[in-house]
Amino acid sequence: MFLTIRELLFARSRFALMGSVVALTAVLMVLLSGLSVGLVNDGVSGLKKLPVTSLAFERGVAADAAFSRSVVDLDAVGEWAGRDGVTAAAPYGNTLVNAKTSGGVAVDLALFGVDPGSFIAPDAARGARLGSNPHEVVVSATAVDAGVRLGDTVTIDRIGTELTVVGVLDGQHTYGHVDVGYVPLRTWQEIRVGAGPGDQAPAHAYEEITAVAVRSASGTDLTAGDSAAATTSMTVEDSFAASPGYSAETATLRMIQVFLYAISALVVGAFFTVLTIQRKPEIAVLRAMGASTWYVLRDSLAQSLVLLALSTAVGVGVGLAAGAAISATPMPFALEAGPIGIASLLLVVLGMAGASLAVLRITKIDPLTALGGNR
């Protein structure tokens, strides 16, 4: 360890250069982690905050488009409510609309249709929750950030339905990068079929929903429930893939992160390969003086660990500072300790794996080299 620290200090310029590369990789890792979490929250935070364990969609619906294609008969709610292990079941509707507020602000909304008295009807952080008035909407706090105000009248494009903003939810509630607005189920059913004020909606519109919101105990047989209700159940986490763009975005970012880790391991391994070749005479002297192979390997690996740990810590610090600045912008970006901690650990572990492969050549260095055995 003494030799490790001595060489780190003596060749500080060389190690600082390598450390800078690792630190920059750590900065990029933090930013990618924040962007990944931010995009997930922007895409499915509204679904995450639903107090449900699963959603029962139309039988056989495409898993990647369930929210936009599923049509479930309202009778399925009663079927699910009577199942063993199900503590609550309620109708749930989901549709995207364009609208404009009375203040002239153009907004996009993901309308969630719910029964006002059901367990999935949210409490408002400001204002009131949904009541008996069919022309009410409770919106996400991020919609307020976009210009929607409590008390505004929101007019749905093309059909002219007017909704009064009576409440604001706590925090971010978004779906498919669009702010969520909760409306009474009957109003949602009319908007879904395009029935405006004074229009008569077809009778079947009031018998159709997007899915059954289910809250059940652990171990509940969802397959039996699907068979009885003619539905296809997905856990809340599985349903994220049906949100617009979710799968493509997360797969792209995951691929970038995988390549980032692979590049990090290769760069660190290449650096220590060159360093080991340059240190060959010194290592041969150590071996000739009686140092064991394990001692020399431990010395080189300790250098790798110190370099990776310090560089990663510096890079994470810089990345957190940059991320804090980005979080104040409209960009979907969120820093969470868990993903950053896992990514930092992976960066160090994979870097150590690359360094370990590089320093294995130490075992092939002949001590006779230091004694002129090569001449």
Side-chain angles (χ1 to χ4, degrees), residues 300-320:
S300 297
L301 291 175
Q303 280 185 343
S304 307
L305 182 59
V306 171
L307 177 69
L308 286 166
L310 291 178
S311 301
T312 300
V314 171
V316 169
V318 174
L320 291 175

Side-chain angles (χ1 to χ4, degrees), residues 96-326:
L96 300 173
V97 298
N98 303 120
K100 183 174 291 185
T101 70
S102 51
V105 178
V107 294
D108 298 324
L109 289 175
L111 293 184
F112 284 7
V114 299
D115 278 335
S118 68
F119 77 102
I120 60 172
D123 292 323
R126 287 190 289 147
R129 62 182 297 167
L130 290 178
S132 58
N133 188 335
H135 299 290
E136 293 180 345
V137 62
V138 176
V139 300
S140 169
T142 46
V144 174
D145 295 338
V148 180
R149 296 289 178 262
L150 194 63
D152 277 355
T153 297
V154 177
T155 303
I156 308 299
D157 287 353
R158 293 187 301 278
I159 62 176
T161 300
E162 294 184 348
L163 303 170
T164 301
V165 180
V166 297
V168 178
L169 301 170
D170 182 24
Q172 183 181 22
H173 291 250
T174 48
Y175 166 80
H177 308 294
V178 175
D179 291 311
V180 168
Y182 281 85
V183 296
L185 181 65
R186 187 175 180 86
T187 302
W188 174 85
Q189 289 168 329
E190 293 172 351
I191 292 173
R192 171 180 166 270
V193 297
D199 295 338
Q200 181 64 43
H204 68 82
Y206 301 109
E207 299 298 324
E208 296 174 347
I209 56 177
T210 299
V212 181
V214 177
R215 185 165 62 193
S216 60
S218 177
T220 300
D221 187 359
L222 297 180
T223 303
D226 284 332
S227 178
T231 56
T232 298
S233 288
M234 298 182 195
T235 64
V236 175
E237 291 76 14
D238 289 341
S239 74
F240 293 168
S243 175
Y246 177 84
S247 297
E249 291 169 353
T250 54
T252 299
L253 287 171
R254 193 176 298 115
M255 183 178 67
I256 293 174
Q257 289 175 319
V258 168
F259 276 104
L260 177 64
Y261 295 137
I263 290 170
S264 174
L266 288 173
V267 168
V268 172
F271 173 79
F272 280 100
T273 296
V274 173
L275 182 63
T276 301
I277 293 173
Q278 292 177 339
R279 295 176 64 208
K280 186 175 179 179
E282 290 83 357
I283 293 173
V285 170
L286 286 174
R287 293 291 306 279
M289 293 173 63
S292 66
T293 300
W294 167 241
Y295 176 88
V296 180
L297 283 172
R298 186 181 62 186
D299 173 66
S300 297
L301 291 175
Q303 280 185 343
S304 307
L305 182 59
V306 171
L307 177 69
L308 286 166
L310 291 178
S311 301
T312 300
V314 171
V316 169
V318 174
L320 291 175
I326 295 174

Side-chain angles (χ1 to χ4, degrees), residues 1-12 15 279 299 302-303 306 310:
M1 193 63 187
F2 171 76
L3 293 174
T4 297
I5 296 174
R6 184 178 179 85
E7 187 168 14
L8 285 170
L9 294 175
F10 178 77
R12 53 185 175 274
F15 284 101
R279 295 176 64 208
D299 173 66
Q303 280 185 343
V306 171
L310 291 178

